[in-house]
Amino acid sequence: MDWGYDNDLFGNGWNIEKMKKLFLFIPLIIVIMITIFCLVFLLQGKDPSKPPSALLYKNLPELNMISLFDASDVISNKDLNGNIMLINFFASWCAPCKVEHPLFFEIKKNYPNILLVGINYKDKQEEAINYLNTMGNPYDYVGVDNKGLIGLELGVFGLPETFIVNSKGIITYKHLGPLTKKIITNEVTPFIQ
Amino acid sequence: MISLIGFIGLILSFVCNVIVIGSYYFKINQRFNQTFYLALYCSLFFICLSFFALMFAYISSDFSNFNVFQNSHSSKPLLYKITGTWGNHEGSMLLWLLIMSLYNVFFSFNITLEDHVRKLTIVFQSFLYLCFSLFVILTSNPFLVNSIDINEGLGLNPILQDPALAIHPPILYIGYVGFSLILSLALAGLILNQLDNLWIQVIKRWAMFCWLMLTGGIALGSYWAYYELGWGGWWFWDPVENISLMPWITGLALVHSLMITQQEQLLKRWIIFLSILCFSLSILGTFLVRSGILTSVHSFAADASRGIFILILFLTITGFSFIIFILKSPHSNKQINLLFINKTSALIINNVVMLIACITILLGTIYPIIIEVLTNKRMSVGAPYYNSTVLPILLPGFLIMSIAPMLSWQSNKLDKIKNYIYILIVTSILTLLITYLTKFNIWGFTGTILGLWIIAASLLSILHNCLKYKFKKFFIYNNALIAHIGVGIMIMGITFSSISQTKNNFTIQTGEIVNSGQYSLQLKNLKIEEKNNFQELLGIFLLHKKNEFLTTIKSSKRYYYVSKVITTEAGIYHDWFQDFYLVLGNEKNNKWSITIYHNPLVSFIWIGVMIMIFSGMVGILKK
Amino acid sequence: MKLHLSSNKLVLIILYILIFLFSTVALGDAVIDDKVKKITSNLRCMTCQNQTIYDSDADFSKNIKQIVRQKIIDNQSEKEIINFLVTRYGEYIVFKPQFNRRNIFLWTFPFLIFALSFVFFIFRLKKNTT
């Protein structure tokens, strides 16, 4: 804005002309900053439909679930601690789960020291057992989460979801959606070695 | 074959624009003028050829074209085949190019400006065209050949098969893309140092036209959201809505600033800044939507490489423009006459308020990106943020709006002040009454008093004008007041529809009557209709108000065969003061669940906007 | 006095706003449904594109609505409920940015420039009239 011939606005010698010139640079600076942020965001390959997990680097919440196969067998964190764990939420009604299912056998083969924990989410026991009988059961433990309460604790909102927990019980990785060979090689393996 | 023609047209339009720019700089031969304009008109011809080639491919369901294959289906009604041309990323960019070229050519018919200013504007517009056509040719080619030999398409999202949504992109783009011409005019005037009254006259009309079309486009989008999205909302502060709103706000500031034409003061620097800002926001907006960087109800199929290209375009075009702005910024020797409160200060308040609102919306839209880059955590900035920040910031603007057109440039006296004070007192009392009788709320109170005050003060001003000037030159004196009345009406509509909406759930079976407020609704029957590309389960209801029959109202569920999607269509009865909004739910045991919304004063929103648009058109046409 | 007109107007409006701000506070208890509406209107449906949990019919939304309702019945405060969900789903699930250190700039910047412009404007006015 042009303030006219009276340049000494604050009465202490601050030249209004200089101030005006400075203001003129602001839009350019903002444009450059916006470009940088957006460029970094794009180059990092972030997926806007997949928010990062809120539980990263936090302790695994207490999972108290009964086994899918034996209702009297209760699985809790005590049973699982001390190992690197891969937790996979699945269900018999979930189509993408079927696609990623075979990959777990490979993981189990390549990394035998990892504990593979499957959590059957909002499913029926019969159908889940059928599913595992047909597709095979790669999991060391399979827990039941009928009402989705365990999923709620972990921020699950759509199947399949996979978490990796390190030997100290801290969640180190989360993946939304089905796993693929590429994702396993690039993203998952660093955490399970 | 048709795709080939389209592609060649696209390339040739690019070449023609190169010739335009080339013939400007290498004025080698005498016939430079001829070459210049001939290339310009040829460029329009070729992009038209290209665009209509794509449209023809859609109409004839030519699935050898990959774009048509991805987005169309032979069973689509003809209208939606046509409008499907721009219902996808590549096609809409082709529309973008067409509109840019149309602006360039129509502008070339201008006779007001001096020749060298006109030519340089055309050159800049051509340069912008080159940038975007490069983007289309390299990353978003709509003429790719389908490698699969197939005679059916993948169909189109049924949500897009809708009349309002079909026409919303062209109208929106005429505004949104039109700001490119404003930028070109600004750059030309800046570089040639020719920001005189002639220039102001010309840019004034074009800016008003662009801004009007943008208003219409946004209103159409909102109206569509209102009847299609099934819960009576019409503005969600969704990122894509914000992106269309930002240039609208700066366009509004620009249009107002350009009104200081032959008056003593000329905010040249500010006008140039706004002119650059409008199209910069358009480019940034296009980037945000098409790069996939933001989730929204309205995202196109996203692609990071496209995103990076547009981002580079944004940096180049905007950076270049602002650098020119810094280097050649005009100096105004005249002092601005600022009084509290004269027309100049009212205008400045308007500008400042609008700009801060725009900055806030930009900040809110971009903030999640910044945070995620810095902390790898994702956050949301939604409606509560914008409502708490933008609305209070706009308040001073709304307050001033009521008396601004009547203020004088020179003095801070307002004619017949006493009348205005009486009106203020009356509207305050009226507002108190209204808010006590209806659901009370601080926003309800503020919105109502602002809306009423603007309407009342403007009506009073019109009255004063009529007494003074009779009805001579009615629109010249009262146009701004009419526009502001439109805004006041819109504010009333926004206030009441947001605050006093009621929602009721019912279950109903055939023949049964339910009561909601003053209305009673009876389910007459249900029937199934087979249409071209969907099957519709139609619920036919009879609507009564206070025991008097009003109308038949229908709500339906549609099952689209190809995409296998089920959509719900609401039934709306528009009354002047309330919308009765019916949504059919699910069936259980022969009973249907329905939801009834009462949306008060929604019509006021559309009426207000239409008045604004009318007033704007008068503004362009009047001498 | 030159500023007479606008002072009147401003004073009247500020007066009204102040009086009724106090009345709003005393509005009293809302029904559970209203509370659910209020809270879920601020929550994002994670499986939808930019819809609130209140407006959405998705399974996820129905689930969360039930959870919120139960917590309201259990007398949990809005803050507790929001925190519960944010711990599990991240700040992404809340539409209103929380008032923490990260978001200070977001919330204060608009008002800051507003205040600054206001001050600048008054300054310039005073300059003009002297």
Side-chain angles (χ1 to χ4, degrees):
Chain A
M1 297 254 213
D2 187 32
W3 304 106
Y5 52 74
D6 187 335
N7 285 340
D8 204 352
L9 188 72
F10 295 110
N12 60 357
W14 242 36
N15 197 337
I16 235 297
E17 277 304 317
K18 255 193 251 167
M19 263 178 66
K20 273 191 272 179
K21 271 284 171 183
L22 243 85
F23 269 119
L24 292 181
F25 276 92
I26 293 178
L28 187 62
I29 297 176
I30 294 180
V31 164
I32 295 177
M33 281 174 53
I34 291 180
T35 310
I36 294 178
F37 273 111
C38 291
L39 197 62
V40 172
F41 189 95
L42 281 180
L43 292 176
Q44 281 179 346
K46 289 183 187 290
D47 188 341
S49 65
K50 301 198 173 148
S53 169
L55 295 153
L56 278 180
Y57 312 121
K58 302 228 177 93
N59 285 315
L60 180 70
E62 185 58 49
L63 314 164
N64 260 321
M65 45 191 184
I66 55 175
S67 158
L68 177 68
F69 302 104
D70 182 359
S72 62
D73 188 9
V74 177
I75 311 166
S76 72
N77 287 20
K78 274 183 270 132
D79 306 319
L80 310 170
N81 271 346
N83 301 306
I84 300 182
M85 261 194 282
L86 189 142
I87 304 179
N88 175 248
F89 282 83
F90 74 97
S92 58
W93 47 260
C94 155
C97 303
K98 294 192 174 73
V99 178
E100 68 167 1
H101 199 80
L103 295 170
F104 290 115
F105 293 101
E106 278 187 44
I107 295 180
K108 195 62 196 162
K109 199 169 63 171
N110 295 332
Y111 303 96
N113 293 329
I114 308 180
L115 217 56
L116 231 68
V117 179
I119 301 188
N120 186 235
Y121 183 78
K122 291 191 178 172
D123 207 351
K124 297 202 175 105
Q125 189 189 25
E126 250 186 62
E127 298 181 16
I129 295 183
N130 275 339
Y131 173 80
L132 289 177
N133 283 338
T134 329
M135 310 273 297
N137 181 6
Y139 305 112
D140 297 308
Y141 290 94
V142 182
V144 170
D145 185 15
N146 280 352
K147 298 197 185 139
L149 292 172
I150 300 177
L152 176 66
E153 290 305 307
L154 285 165
V156 167
F157 57 88
L159 294 191
E161 290 193 22
T162 306
F163 295 80
I164 297 182
V165 182
N166 71 8
S167 48
K168 301 198 180 78
I170 303 226
I171 299 177
T172 49
Y173 176 80
K174 170 179 172 173
H175 183 76
L176 279 163
L179 292 171
T180 64
K181 280 209 170 132
K182 197 169 165 199
I183 296 175
I184 294 179
T185 329
N186 294 338
E187 295 173 22
V188 175
T189 35
F191 291 102
I192 50 183
Q193 282 170 338
Chain B
M1 182 58 199
I2 194 78
S3 298
L4 188 62
I5 294 178
F7 185 65
I8 292 178
L10 179 61
I11 299 282
L12 285 178
S13 74
F14 179 88
V15 170
C16 285
N17 274 286
V18 176
I19 296 178
V20 168
I21 298 180
S23 69
Y24 180 80
Y25 279 107
F26 305 108
K27 299 171 202 170
I28 24 175
N29 55 9
Q30 304 301 66
R31 300 209 258 140
F32 135 72
N33 229 35
Q34 276 188 337
T35 324
F36 185 83
Y37 287 106
L38 186 63
L40 179 65
Y41 302 143
C42 283
S43 139
L44 177 63
F45 170 74
F46 285 122
I47 190 64
C48 280
L49 186 67
S50 185
F51 183 77
F52 288 112
L54 184 64
M55 189 180 278
F56 185 79
Y58 267 90
I59 295 176
S60 60
S61 290
D62 178 2
F63 297 114
S64 68
N65 176 306
F66 190 58
N67 187 266
V68 178
F69 166 67
Q70 278 194 311
N71 300 298
S72 194
H73 195 273
S74 53
S75 68
K76 263 206 296 182
L78 180 63
L79 173 67
Y80 297 122
K81 279 182 184 157
I82 296 176
T83 62
T85 315
W86 55 74
N88 59 82
H89 167 72
E90 295 86 349
S92 64
M93 285 314 295
L94 206 62
L95 177 66
W96 178 295
L97 290 179
L98 175 65
I99 291 177
M100 259 186 156
S101 195
L102 278 168
Y103 267 99
N104 210 356
V105 168
F106 276 113
F107 170 76
S108 70
F109 300 142
N110 170 282
I111 45 174
T112 320
L113 281 178
E114 288 182 34
D115 191 57
H116 61 299
V117 186
R118 181 172 60 234
K119 285 223 177 72
L120 189 58
T121 309
I122 294 176
V123 165
F124 274 120
Q125 185 75 354
S126 293
F127 176 71
L128 290 174
Y129 184 92
L130 285 183
C131 291
F132 284 93
S133 55
L134 209 60
F135 171 67
V136 173
I137 295 172
L138 293 179
T139 74
S140 314
N141 189 351
F143 299 110
L144 293 174
V145 173
N146 192 359
S147 50
I148 316 170
D149 188 11
I150 195 169
N151 53 10
E152 192 50 274
L154 296 176
L156 183 65
N157 190 345
I159 287 189
L160 297 178
Q161 292 177 42
D162 177 284
L165 207 59
I167 199 170
H168 151 82
I171 296 194
L172 188 79
Y173 274 14
I174 295 179
Y176 204 71
V177 177
F179 284 127
S180 59
L181 183 66
I182 306 295
L183 174 65
S184 304
L185 272 166
L187 288 174
L190 202 54
I191 288 189
L192 295 173
N193 216 353
Q194 198 106 16
L195 300 165
D196 52 9
N197 283 337
L198 288 178
W199 182 86
I200 297 272
Q201 260 183 52
V202 171
I203 200 174
K204 196 161 106 151
R205 269 177 228 269
W206 285 105
M208 178 64 97
F209 178 70
C210 295
W211 180 79
L212 273 185
M213 298 304 279
L214 186 58
T215 312
I218 296 178
L220 268 172
S222 281
Y223 183 65
W224 173 83
Y226 176 68
Y227 73 72
E228 183 57 41
L229 291 180
W231 52 87
W234 49 272
W235 189 264
F236 307 94
W237 293 109
D238 182 85
V240 165
E241 292 176 319
N242 295 348
I243 270 151
S244 65
L245 190 63
M246 288 190 280
W248 184 85
I249 290 180
T250 50
L252 179 68
L254 178 63
V255 160
H256 277 82
S257 305
L258 286 167
M259 286 181 194
I260 323 180
T261 57
Q262 274 82 17
Q263 315 302 330
E264 312 87 55
Q265 28 261 331
L266 215 61
L267 302 166
K268 276 191 201 150
R269 234 182 226 170
W270 185 246
I271 288 174
I272 297 287
F273 170 68
L274 285 177
S275 307
I276 301 178
L277 193 58
C278 285
F279 193 57
S280 308
L281 289 169
S282 294
I283 308 180
L284 180 62
T286 303
F287 161 73
L288 290 171
V289 171
R290 292 173 196 263
S291 62
I293 208 171
L294 293 170
T295 28
S296 129
V297 275
H298 193 321
S299 300
F300 287 93
D303 191 326
S305 63
R306 286 174 181 164
I308 294 180
F309 198 110
I310 309 185
L311 190 59
I312 305 290
L313 278 186
F314 169 68
L315 182 66
T316 327
I317 297 175
T318 315
F320 171 75
S321 306
F322 279 126
I323 288 176
I324 302 280
F325 176 59
I326 294 173
L327 293 175
K328 302 218 84 190
S329 195
H331 293 288
S332 220
N333 296 325
K334 313 218 170 110
Q335 185 182 12
I336 311 178
N337 183 13
L338 269 186
L339 298 167
F340 199 77
I341 180 146
N342 71 348
K343 209 160 196 167
T344 324
S345 15
L347 241 122
I348 289 180
I349 293 178
N350 162 284
N351 272 294
V352 169
V353 156
M354 287 289 145
L355 190 69
I356 299 181
C358 182
I359 292 175
T360 310
I361 297 177
L362 180 62
L363 182 65
T365 310
I366 295 217
Y367 206 72
I369 299 175
I370 299 179
I371 291 292
E372 192 161 346
V373 165
L374 293 176
T375 68
N376 201 33
K377 282 192 206 269
R378 188 168 297 181
M379 57 165 307
S380 298
V381 178
Y385 172 75
Y386 298 107
N387 288 332
S388 314
T389 51
V390 175
L391 298 184
I393 287 174
L394 289 176
L395 279 180
F398 291 140
L399 278 172
I400 286 288
M401 189 192 298
S402 49
I403 51 168
M406 297 307 285
L407 294 170
S408 133
W409 290 104
Q410 287 95 342
S411 78
N412 65 350
K413 291 201 201 322
L414 181 60
D415 233 8
K416 307 201 173 110
I417 274 186
K418 282 220 184 94
N419 293 348
Y420 287 98
I421 299 189
Y422 293 149
I423 293 270
L424 173 62
I425 296 177
V426 167
T427 52
S428 307
I429 297 177
L430 199 63
T431 314
L432 283 175
L433 268 170
I434 294 178
T435 43
Y436 267 131
L437 293 174
T438 62
K439 184 169 161 187
F440 179 74
N441 187 296
I442 186 70
W443 287 117
F445 177 80
T446 318
T448 315
I449 198 175
L450 277 176
L452 279 178
W453 166 233
I454 292 174
I455 297 173
S458 303
L459 283 173
L460 179 65
S461 307
I462 295 185
L463 188 65
H464 285 164
N465 276 339
C466 288
L467 291 175
K468 193 167 173 187
Y469 302 106
K470 310 296 171 186
F471 282 98
K472 285 186 226 164
K473 300 190 190 174
F474 179 79
F475 283 112
I476 296 198
Y477 292 114
N478 298 311
N479 200 26
L481 295 162
I482 295 175
H484 287 181
I485 290 179
V487 178
I489 295 178
M490 192 179 76
I491 292 179
M492 299 282 295
I494 293 177
T495 310
F496 276 85
S497 66
S498 314
I499 293 178
S500 315
Q501 182 195 51
T502 53
K503 171 182 173 182
N504 291 318
N505 291 313
F506 299 96
T507 44
I508 194 172
Q509 56 191 18
T510 324
E512 197 182 332
I513 299 180
V514 296
N515 293 310
S516 182
Q518 294 178 329
Y519 295 87
S520 56
L521 188 75
Q522 180 184 38
L523 173 55
K524 184 171 151 202
N525 66 328
L526 293 133
K527 65 178 181 176
I528 296 189
E529 286 181 357
E530 305 268 345
K531 297 276 168 73
N532 214 352
N533 49 344
F534 61 84
Q535 185 190 65
E536 189 163 28
L537 171 65
L538 204 58
I540 302 176
F541 298 79
L542 300 171
L543 185 64
H544 297 254
K545 185 176 179 181
K546 297 182 198 171
N547 292 321
E548 229 182 83
F549 176 69
L550 275 184
T551 182
T552 315
I553 187 172
K554 303 179 195 163
S555 175
S556 66
K557 286 206 179 295
R558 289 184 186 169
Y559 172 71
Y560 284 81
Y561 302 123
V562 177
S563 52
K564 299 196 175 39
V565 167
I566 300 181
T567 65
T568 314
E569 307 297 310
I572 308 180
Y573 174 69
H574 295 292
D575 199 345
W576 288 108
F577 293 100
Q578 193 182 94
D579 270 16
F580 182 91
Y581 192 104
L582 170 68
V583 182
L584 185 68
N586 295 315
E587 185 236 348
K588 199 171 180 181
N589 300 331
N590 256 321
K591 286 194 143 226
W592 286 88
S593 62
I594 56 172
T595 310
I596 294 177
Y597 296 86
H598 295 280
N599 298 325
L601 293 195
V602 177
S603 312
F604 276 31
I605 303 176
W606 320 122
I607 293 174
V609 171
M610 285 196 275
I611 296 179
M612 283 162 65
I613 294 182
F614 167 74
S615 163
M617 291 204 279
V618 169
I620 298 181
L621 295 171
K622 71 176 182 183
K623 281 289 175 251
Chain C
M1 207 186 24
K2 277 190 183 158
L3 295 173
H4 199 65
L5 156 72
S6 37
S7 304
N8 264 349
K9 203 163 65 173
L10 257 141
V11 163
L12 262 168
I13 291 188
I14 292 178
L15 205 66
Y16 282 133
I17 293 179
L18 276 173
I19 295 176
F20 291 103
L21 253 166
F22 285 113
S23 335
T24 342
V25 176
L27 218 71
D29 258 290
V31 180
I32 292 186
D33 271 337
D34 282 344
K35 280 190 182 158
V36 173
K37 176 175 176 178
K38 180 165 184 258
I39 297 180
T40 54
S41 294
N42 189 20
L43 294 172
R44 176 192 287 271
C45 161
M46 300 285 279
T47 57
C48 321
Q49 293 258 59
N50 234 46
Q51 255 181 290
T52 65
I53 296 233
Y54 176 70
D55 290 328
S56 153
D57 281 326
D59 278 337
F60 176 79
S61 304
K62 288 190 190 153
N63 206 7
I64 299 288
K65 270 188 264 210
Q66 276 178 333
I67 295 172
V68 170
R69 174 169 278 268
Q70 185 55 50
K71 287 188 181 291
I72 290 177
I73 293 175
D74 292 340
N75 257 321
Q76 288 197 8
S77 72
E78 182 176 339
K79 201 169 178 188
E80 287 172 322
I81 299 175
I82 300 272
N83 272 338
F84 176 85
L85 290 168
V86 167
T87 321
R88 287 150 183 79
Y89 291 99
E91 280 183 46
Y92 185 58
I93 199 175
V94 193
F95 274 121
K96 180 173 184 177
Q98 300 193 304
F99 292 99
N100 55 29
R101 229 179 344 169
R102 234 179 301 134
N103 299 335
I104 270 190
F105 185 74
L106 183 67
W107 281 108
T108 54
F109 188 67
F111 297 112
L112 251 146
I113 29 173
F114 186 77
L116 275 168
S117 325
F118 184 70
V119 163
F120 214 41
F121 186 69
I122 300 287
F123 241 165
R124 193 64 191 86
L125 271 180
K126 291 243 155 77
K127 267 265 149 189
N128 212 87
T129 51
T130 53

